[in-house]
Amino acid sequence: MEKITDLQGTFTLNNGVKMPYFGLGVYLSEDGQEVINAVKWALDEGYRHIDTASIYKNEEGVGQGIAESTVDRENVFVVSKVWNSDQGYEHTLKAFNDSLNRLGLDYLDLYLIHWPVAGKYKETWRALEHLYHQKKVRAIGVSNFMQHHLEDLLKDAEVVPMVNQMEFHPFLVQQDLIDFCNEKGIQYEAWSPMMQGRVFKMEEFKQLADKYGKSIAQIVLRWNLQKGVITIPKSSKKERIIANAAIFDFELATEDIALLDAMHKGKRFGPDPNNFDF
């Protein structure tokens, strides 16, 4: 595994593109000043990876935050996603252009299929491959794809997805899926690493935080990275954005990683990729 060095460190995707392994998620950040500030604070702090989606309804603010920051566009890794109702070949091409326009950008660094919509995701993937070949996007991937979705996609895909962004936390490790992705050269990425806040109430995390002299959030995020999983904690609070990134001056011991891995219960707090209706 590549070394975890600092906030601007990267994992190399299967096409050679370097993706910062730590980023800012903006799910639930309100469009306008709230998300503009969050993006600017993150970039000022040294973050170089911002993750949004069309369904978050804040792409304009994200684009404005990037434009108003002192960091050049080419040094920011920008991710967005095609929503379920926009899937299918032509619709996806249009949705991508709409996202670019809202962001005020002329290319994306990574574009993801947000959910595996049955009967549509293969056509959607074909559109992503087209955008990739056209160099409108530097990398393409999926989100919420289980192993059987990936196997089905790979039967017809010309391009192997570079990323799979999944719900990932101590209650939902899904090591088999991580191993499958690693074997196929698909980079694993976490969403909801804090179990929607539940980690903050758990004794095991308090003990680890005390042991390392770190916050619970910092323990969880460090675990993500040491698992080789890209992580994008979301916050619109300046102090939280700064604190989340302070995880490069310590390392979790092997037994503590094993302890967190062993909490796996197959428990989801978000929708089930095998059974969603939106």
Side-chain angles (χ1 to χ4, degrees), residues 36-258:
I36 291 168
N37 286 342
V39 168
K40 282 162 63 175
W41 290 328
L43 293 174
D44 281 351
E45 184 57 23
Y47 286 67
R48 292 296 179 265
H49 168 184
I50 310 289
D51 179 281
T52 185
S54 62
I55 196 68
Y56 300 170
K57 304 275 188 266
N58 59 14
E59 287 171 314
E60 287 95 341
V62 167
Q64 201 174 329
I66 293 166
E68 289 179 15
S69 83
T70 56
V71 181
D72 292 342
R73 155 70 186 108
E74 57 270 23
N75 295 327
V76 186
F77 194 95
V78 186
V79 185
S80 195
K81 311 175 193 84
V82 57
W83 185 242
N84 303 349
S85 55
D86 291 326
Q87 286 198 38
Y89 188 80
E90 296 297 341
H91 286 304
T92 297
L93 295 180
K94 181 183 184 308
F96 176 84
N97 284 326
D98 290 346
S99 280
L100 269 192
N101 290 335
R102 286 191 291 266
L103 285 157
L105 302 176
D106 49 14
Y107 70 94
L108 280 182
D109 296 276
L110 176 65
Y111 196 48
L112 303 176
I113 300 180
H114 211 146
W115 288 87
V117 175
K120 285 203 170 165
Y121 63 72
K122 286 194 179 190
E123 284 300 294
T124 305
W125 187 249
R126 240 179 14 97
L128 265 61
E129 290 177 328
H130 174 75
L131 293 164
Y132 178 65
H133 293 316
Q134 298 273 305
K135 300 203 174 359
K136 295 277 186 71
V137 60
R138 295 173 64 224
I140 51 176
V142 296
S143 185
N144 304 301
F145 274 53
M146 302 299 281
Q147 182 170 332
H148 68 92
H149 296 123
L150 290 166
E151 287 170 337
D152 183 46
L153 190 70
L154 289 169
K155 279 184 208 149
D156 302 298
E158 285 175 35
V159 178
V160 175
M162 284 116 206
V163 172
N164 187 16
Q165 190 184 118
M166 295 294 295
E167 182 177 350
F168 173 80
H169 45 67
F171 282 4
L172 191 69
V173 179
Q174 299 188 110
Q175 190 64 47
D176 290 354
L177 182 57
I178 295 175
D179 292 344
F180 176 81
C181 287
N182 288 343
E183 187 190 306
K184 298 290 180 193
I186 301 168
Q187 172 63 52
Y188 212 80
E189 180 176 7
W191 62 261
S192 205
M194 304 299 165
M195 309 194 324
Q196 297 182 357
R198 287 168 180 83
V199 292
F200 302 113
K201 302 181 182 80
M202 291 172 61
E203 194 52 46
E204 297 93 328
F205 290 103
K206 291 190 181 115
Q207 287 172 6
L208 281 176
D210 289 347
K211 174 177 173 179
Y212 288 94
K214 286 286 178 182
S215 71
I216 289 173
Q218 288 163 339
I219 297 291
V220 173
L221 295 170
R222 182 72 204 190
W223 171 68
N224 285 202
L225 296 188
Q226 285 184 234
K227 292 283 289 175
V229 175
I230 288 175
T231 194
I232 44 168
K234 61 175 191 269
S235 184
S236 50
K237 296 185 171 66
K238 187 176 187 176
E239 58 281 7
R240 181 83 47 80
I241 289 169
I242 292 169
N244 282 343
I247 59 169
F248 299 100
D249 56 354
F250 80 109
E251 196 169 294
L252 293 172
T254 313
E255 63 269 20
D256 291 327
I257 289 180

Side-chain angles (χ1 to χ4, degrees), residues 19-34:
M19 179 172 179
Y21 44 55
F22 197 89
L24 176 73
V26 298
Y27 175 58
L28 298 182
S29 291
E30 207 170 301
D31 199 27
Q33 213 51 54
E34 182 172 284

